[in-house]
Amino acid sequence: MRVLLVYPQFPKSFWSFEKSLELVGKKALMPPLGLITVAAILPQTWEFKLVDCNIRLVSKSEWDWADLVIISAMIVQKEDFWHQIQLAKQHGKSVAVGGPYPTALPQEAKAMGADYLVLDEGEITLPMFVAALEKGALEGTFRATEKPDVSQTPVPRFDLLEMSAYDSMAIQFSRGCPFQCEFCDIIVLYGRKPRTKTPPQLIVELEALYKLGWRGRVFMVDDNFIGNKRNVKLLLQELKEWMAKHGYPFKFFTEASVNLAEDPELMELMVACNFYAVFLGIETPDEDSLTLTQKHQNTRNSLYESVTAITKSGLMVMSGFIIGFDGEKAGAGDRITQFVEQTSIPIAFFSMLQALPDTALWKRLEKEGRLRLQSGDVNQTTLMNFVPTRPIEEIAQEYIQAFWKLYDPARFLDRAYRHYLMMAEPKHKSTAQKMHWLEIRALFKILWRQGVISETRKLFWRNFFGIWRYKRSRLTEFIAVCARLEHFLDYREIVCKQISKQLAEFQVNEARITDEHNHNHQVTQLAAHSSSITLARE
């Protein structure tokens, strides 16, 4: 069996970083970990080729070579997901699909022409799929009724990747999250009981990357890396020794809940293992909104103090923020920007709330009759897909204004500077910090763009020399964060234009619906009036 694994394109988004990637000669931020894990689970007697459409398109010879096409996607990739299915069908290929998008909305994947829906987690459903193929099945839907033991998951097929095209590699230690945030689909997809790999198992995966020559950033893709603190600490103890023995070849970043700040030992272990950044789901500084959406872990302690503690430990904080919660008071956008400025978080992911399929939020809004669209989107250029409790025009305007302020060049550079001054010095020297030619070229491009032609060049040089003087060991990381500004300046323009356009379309549509309603009401009244006149005459 010859299997072509296809990963659809992402639209331009907050995380796409096209300009930043161009600076360092990369084409994509990170690889499709799900597909290379699928390749590892399927029979190893099969042949595999992988094409990441974010790097290049599938060639005619690759379409011709394949007996079967497997496509995995997230909701944000749905447009190219559909396109790749159509291309595969045009070449006469059977198509199997899986991943978060088909699992959440299987009816859409089926309508797009997929032959096989391999849903939920592949450790269980892929063997079912293989058995069906062996019996000659030409279509089918394969679902799991339980969660797999990820300690049995094989090492992903990193060898299938065009590794030089990526800025970071990706590995996974755990699945699932112990919390129950109303809007989050992670607990729907992976459950509330975090399941982890064993420390030796993850070390073997890192050995595989190391032997393939990878050095540099590695994203630990767990949706909550610290969901099972006991097992994470066991991993970090072994990882600490492995990293020291190998000269710290990797720099890790991951996602975690804010209660990381409550565990100094855990933060110290992460820094000792060369974790340099962590993404926190802060969502909003409004405690009432956090309580309503059941994000109680963010209300136990001061969010400001939590972010400060994590930063001071030596971890650069990135964060997620959302506007549009039920019961939210006016001015939420300003409160978010003020919080970001106070905590000096450089990179703040910001979006309007979306109801994702099968989440508790989705089910509640569906019951209340407030869903506008029977789909969800996690991109930042779309209006909310439900009717909020305050005017959507007000939320959209606050969102646009806040996004614009967050990525004002002077504000961004100042936050990054203050953030890195607050961070503790790293305790070891990483071989991954040695600069190569592409990085040197990227450095000169950044110095030219931000230090010569930018209107904020004076601020850039002030900050550059400030970090050089006070936190020299962080200078490379600081410049890398500054490079992200190249992307955010473009992207805030896109966000503002797209949201303004959609808002205008929404208002026109609402006006049309109102007019039709008024017209129908008038016709009904006129008909009733005519009937009453007729009856009176009779």
Side-chain angles (χ1 to χ4, degrees):
M1 178 75 74
R2 292 181 295 191
V3 179
L4 180 63
L5 304 157
V6 178
Y7 197 51
Q9 288 183 355
F10 284 92
K12 192 166 186 176
S13 72
F14 187 93
W15 298 113
S16 52
F17 294 134
E18 292 89 351
K19 284 199 169 184
S20 304
L21 292 171
E22 181 270 329
L23 284 171
V24 292
K26 305 295 182 180
K27 294 183 178 180
L29 193 62
M30 63 187 69
L33 181 61
L35 276 179
I36 58 176
T37 302
V38 165
I41 295 171
L42 289 171
Q44 296 305 289
T45 53
W46 293 7
E47 297 179 64
F48 300 95
K49 288 185 179 181
L50 183 146
V51 176
D52 182 346
C53 296
N54 298 283
I55 293 174
R56 64 177 180 84
L57 301 180
V58 182
S59 67
K60 184 180 183 304
S61 62
E62 287 168 326
W63 287 123
D64 293 341
W65 170 86
D67 298 317
L68 172 70
V69 175
I70 297 179
I71 306 173
S72 176
M74 293 184 278
I75 289 177
V76 72
Q77 295 168 282
K78 63 183 176 182
E79 185 175 335
D80 196 49
F81 174 76
W82 175 84
H83 180 61
Q84 296 305 323
I85 291 175
Q86 301 312 303
L87 286 176
K89 298 309 258 180
Q90 288 170 18
H91 287 85
K93 307 300 175 181
S94 294
V95 179
V97 300
Y101 174 40
T103 295
L105 295 164
Q107 69 281 4
E108 291 190 8
K110 186 68 176 176
M112 290 176 182
D115 302 294
Y116 308 97
L117 306 183
V118 190
L119 310 177
D120 305 307
E121 296 180 62
E123 288 87 349
I124 293 176
T125 54
L126 282 168
M128 295 163 59
F129 168 59
V130 171
L133 286 181
E134 290 173 347
K135 292 177 182 178
L138 299 178
E139 62 179 17
T141 298
F142 309 93
R143 302 224 64 156
T145 57
E146 57 184 335
K147 304 297 182 187
D149 177 2
V150 295
S151 68
Q152 303 304 308
T153 302
V155 177
R157 290 287 304 273
F158 296 112
D159 59 296
L160 295 173
L161 300 173
E162 298 176 35
M163 296 181 74
S164 62
Y166 295 101
D167 178 74
S168 305
M169 280 293 108
I171 59 172
Q172 183 182 56
F173 177 62
S174 70
R175 293 181 202 161
C177 179
F179 302 115
Q180 50 185 354
C181 308
E182 186 187 39
F183 58 86
C184 185
D185 64 344
I186 296 306
I187 55 177
V188 175
L189 293 169
Y190 304 117
R192 288 191 58 206
K193 183 180 179 181
R195 293 160 287 133
T196 70
K197 295 178 179 177
T198 66
Q201 183 183 6
L202 198 76
I203 296 297
V204 169
E205 293 187 17
L206 292 175
E207 288 278 6
L209 281 174
Y210 186 83
K211 289 176 181 176
L212 286 169
W214 182 259
R215 301 294 183 272
R217 282 185 282 271
V218 175
F219 181 38
M220 198 80 72
V221 304
D222 304 29
D223 294 289
N224 188 355
F225 179 62
I226 66 167
N228 185 324
K229 286 188 177 183
R230 173 188 172 275
N231 287 5
V232 163
K233 288 181 180 180
L234 292 174
L235 166 69
L236 294 174
Q237 292 289 358
E238 291 198 29
L239 180 58
K240 179 181 176 181
E241 294 181 14
W242 187 90
M243 287 287 286
K245 181 180 177 181
H246 290 78
Y248 301 96
F250 306 133
K251 295 179 66 175
F252 298 103
F253 60 109
T254 192
E255 300 180 43
S257 44
V258 175
N259 61 319
L260 171 63
E262 300 170 7
D263 199 328
E265 178 193 12
L266 182 51
M267 290 187 287
E268 185 177 346
L269 277 170
M270 289 176 68
V271 172
C273 292
N274 217 23
F275 278 77
Y276 75 97
V278 61
F279 180 90
L280 306 175
I282 293 174
E283 320 312 355
T284 174
D286 294 346
E287 191 166 321
D288 288 346
S289 292
L290 291 171
T291 300
L292 178 67
T293 197
Q294 299 182 52
K295 203 170 181 77
H296 302 296
Q297 66 272 24
N298 282 21
T299 65
R300 293 201 292 257
N301 298 297
S302 161
L303 284 173
Y304 172 82
E305 291 177 4
S306 295
V307 172
T308 301
I310 294 169
T311 305
K312 287 184 175 179
S313 76
L315 295 167
M316 193 270 280
V317 171
M318 300 176 283
S319 62
F321 293 92
I322 296 173
I323 191 171
F325 290 108
D326 278 4
E328 184 179 71
K329 295 181 177 63
D334 284 339
R335 292 192 294 277
I336 287 171
T337 55
Q338 288 167 11
F339 181 85
V340 172
E341 288 298 321
Q342 289 169 356
T343 53
S344 69
I345 297 171
I347 298 176
F349 174 89
F350 187 38
S351 65
M352 283 191 278
L353 182 61
Q354 296 286 331
L356 298 178
D358 289 333
T359 58
L361 176 63
W362 176 279
K363 291 175 181 177
R364 176 169 68 81
L365 295 173
E366 188 173 43
K367 185 178 180 181
E368 295 172 2
R370 293 168 56 196
L371 286 175
R372 290 197 302 112
L373 303 171
Q374 292 299 309
S375 185
D377 197 337
V378 292
N379 212 353
Q380 297 78 51
T381 55
T382 51
L383 288 177
M384 305 162 77
N385 62 341
F386 65 94
V387 179
T389 56
R390 63 183 177 121
I392 196 167
E393 294 89 347
E394 182 179 289
I395 296 171
Q397 288 301 329
E398 286 188 20
Y399 174 62
I400 290 171
Q401 291 167 10
F403 210 104
W404 195 262
K405 287 179 183 177
L406 285 171
Y407 292 101
D408 172 81
R411 285 172 179 259
F412 178 83
L413 292 173
D414 185 58
R415 288 201 309 272
Y417 178 65
R418 288 186 283 117
H419 199 78
Y420 275 92
L421 284 183
M422 197 189 308
M423 291 174 67
E425 293 277 9
K427 297 179 181 179
H428 46 255
K429 188 174 182 180
S430 169
T431 54
Q433 289 179 344
K434 293 179 180 179
M435 296 186 73
H436 302 290
W437 162 242
L438 283 175
E439 294 171 314
I440 294 171
R441 186 181 68 175
L443 172 62
F444 280 105
K445 284 184 179 180
I446 296 168
L447 294 180
W448 170 256
R449 292 181 186 181
Q450 296 193 18
V452 178
I453 62 177
S454 172
E455 293 181 0
T456 54
R457 54 187 174 274
K458 289 183 179 179
L459 177 60
F460 172 80
W461 286 116
R462 187 208 73 177
N463 294 349
F464 179 93
F465 287 114
I467 297 296
W468 174 275
R469 180 178 179 183
Y470 298 111
K471 292 287 169 72
R472 190 171 303 182
S473 61
R474 297 283 185 190
L475 186 62
T476 302
E477 294 175 25
F478 172 74
I479 293 172
V481 169
C482 290
R484 303 300 192 198
L485 183 58
E486 299 289 315
H487 168 68
F488 292 134
L489 286 178
D490 273 1
Y491 193 58
R492 71 171 183 165
E493 295 272 2
I494 293 172
V495 167
C496 294
K497 287 178 182 177
Q498 289 295 321
I499 294 296
S500 296
K501 178 183 176 182
Q502 289 184 44
L503 184 59
E505 292 172 350
F506 171 81
Q507 290 170 328
V508 169
N509 189 52
E510 288 295 296
R512 179 183 58 78
I513 292 172
T514 301
D515 288 343
E516 288 178 358
H517 174 76
N518 291 339
H519 175 70
N520 292 337
H521 181 64
Q522 289 170 359
V523 169
T524 302
Q525 284 185 320
L526 182 59
H529 183 62
S530 299
S531 298
S532 64
I533 292 174
T534 301
L535 288 171
R537 286 175 177 173
E538 291 176 355

